[in-house]
């Protein structure tokens, strides 16, 4: 069965760090662009970061630039989101999603999400 499984969320104090993982099951991320998206209560879903497994190119949203880093492991089965200097406004459910193309635009697969809560 093809699925994405996120982990690493939790409760952290403002200024702290978390690393989220997105593991592919039943396939690899070859030729996919993998995005981390988040949705906070009452807000629209936001693309936080994206990485192309083929080209290694990345996108990072302005709201998290300089604080979040996306990476992919050599086996192309796990994508990470390192989140540093967390702020209260980073509180959201974080999802990973896979687009079978060069950009994070139209996703074939999406995980169930992992909740990140930043205490101010």
């Amino acid at each position: 069965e093809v699925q994405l499984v996120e982990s690493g969320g939790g409760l952290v104090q403002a200024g702290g760090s978390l690393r989220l993982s997105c593991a592919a099951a039943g396939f690899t991320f070859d030729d996919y662009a993998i995005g981390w998206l988040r949705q906070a209560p009452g807000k629209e879903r936001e693309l936080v970061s994206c990485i192309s497994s083929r080209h290694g190119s990345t996108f990072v949203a302005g709201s998290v630039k300089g604080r979040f880093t996306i990476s992919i492991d050599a086996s192309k089965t796990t994508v990470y989101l390192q989140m540093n200097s967390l702020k209260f406004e980073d509180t959201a459910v974080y999802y990973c999603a896979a687009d079978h193309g060069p950009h994070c635009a139209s996703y074939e697969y999406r995980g169930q999400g992992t909740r990140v809560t930043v205490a101010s």
Side-chain angles (χ1 to χ4, degrees):
E1 180 184 2
V2 172
Q3 58 179 341
L4 300 178
V5 181
E6 302 100 333
S7 61
L11 173 65
V12 64
Q13 293 292 317
S17 298
L18 285 174
R19 188 175 81 155
L20 305 183
S21 298
C22 172
F27 73 116
T28 70
F29 288 135
D30 256 348
D31 291 330
Y32 281 83
I34 302 91
W36 281 102
L37 304 95
R38 68 184 180 185
Q39 187 154 26
K43 295 188 177 180
E44 291 191 0
R45 191 176 69 183
E46 175 188 14
L47 176 63
V48 174
S49 191
C50 177
I51 186 166
S52 166
S53 67
R54 174 180 284 269
H55 305 290
S57 55
T58 62
F59 160 82
V60 180
S63 58
V64 303
K65 191 164 288 184
R67 300 187 298 120
F68 290 12
T69 304
I70 192 169
S71 62
I72 189 168
D73 72 341
S75 67
K76 296 189 178 180
T77 58
T78 305
V79 169
Y80 302 97
L81 186 69
Q82 178 67 41
M83 307 188 296
N84 298 328
S85 302
L86 283 160
K87 302 177 181 180
F88 175 75
E89 50 265 39
D90 295 319
T91 296
V93 177
Y94 285 71
Y95 304 88
C96 65
D99 177 332
H100 202 189
H103 305 295
C104 290
S106 178
Y107 303 105
E108 279 76 21
Y109 307 112
R110 196 186 88 165
Q112 292 297 308
T114 185
R115 185 174 299 276
V116 171
T117 303
V118 183
S120 59

